[in-house]
Amino acid sequence: MRTSMHQGPEIWLRGPVSASGATAGAPPGVSWVGTHGGAGVTTLAEVYGGQDCGRDWPGPAGPARVALVARTHAAGLAAAGRALDAFRHGEAPPGLGLDSVVLVADAPGRLPRPLARQVRLLEAAVAVHRVPWVAAWRLGDLDGPPPRGTGALARLAGADR
């Protein structure tokens, strides 16, 4: 089996994955990177802390730990897969480390089976955090407590709230 960075499964282990080693002395916390427009990066940065990178990679002054953000609709999950491929193929900027993928619910309720299957594929490749539908966020109310079960995101961002 070939073990090049372009092919081996070793990069598809659950947990942090580095494009070329995390930068020593990088600021703590996480850089939220949207894999598509409307992924929820700004909301996550406001609620949990960390750097809002929009759809760009973080610069040298930002946290080197990256959390890729996507919605749970078909286009969002496909975009998350493409962004994971960027790390797998060494296309992410040097020094960035992929911490996880954060999937933000695109609607209340359970995912349809085809989308749930796509989520399971992502979960087999990398750590995945799920953020449930929060009706208050849709109205712009970000002042309430983070949704239950998302404490790991607060720790990831470096600021338990």
Side-chain angles (χ1 to χ4, degrees):
M1 172 187 280
R2 266 177 78 186
T3 58
S4 78
M5 194 156 131
H6 294 286
Q7 200 159 355
E10 41 290 335
I11 200 162
W12 291 103
L13 299 176
R14 290 178 56 84
V17 177
S18 176
S20 65
T23 305
V30 67
S31 291
W32 307 102
V33 176
T35 62
H36 58 88
V41 169
T42 300
T43 298
L44 293 175
E46 180 71 27
V47 171
Y48 297 102
Q51 179 174 323
D52 177 351
C53 293
R55 294 180 61 193
D56 297 324
W57 295 114
R65 291 175 47 225
V66 171
L68 297 173
V69 182
R71 291 286 179 170
T72 55
H73 49 60
L77 295 173
R82 288 190 300 274
L84 281 174
D85 283 345
F87 272 94
R88 191 182 96 185
H89 296 297
E91 297 166 0
L96 295 183
L98 175 60
D99 190 277
S100 57
V101 170
V102 179
L103 299 177
V104 180
D106 67 314
R110 297 175 57 103
L111 287 177
R113 280 189 182 161
L115 298 179
R117 203 173 6 250
Q118 286 182 276
V119 169
R120 285 192 299 277
L121 289 173
L122 290 171
E123 289 172 335
V126 67
V128 173
H129 299 280
R130 305 272 306 265
V131 178
W133 178 260
V134 181
W137 290 0
R138 189 174 195 199
L139 298 171
D141 180 7
L142 306 179
D143 293 330
R148 282 188 311 172
T150 63
L153 288 180
R155 290 188 294 281
L156 175 68
D160 288 340
R161 290 181 16 151

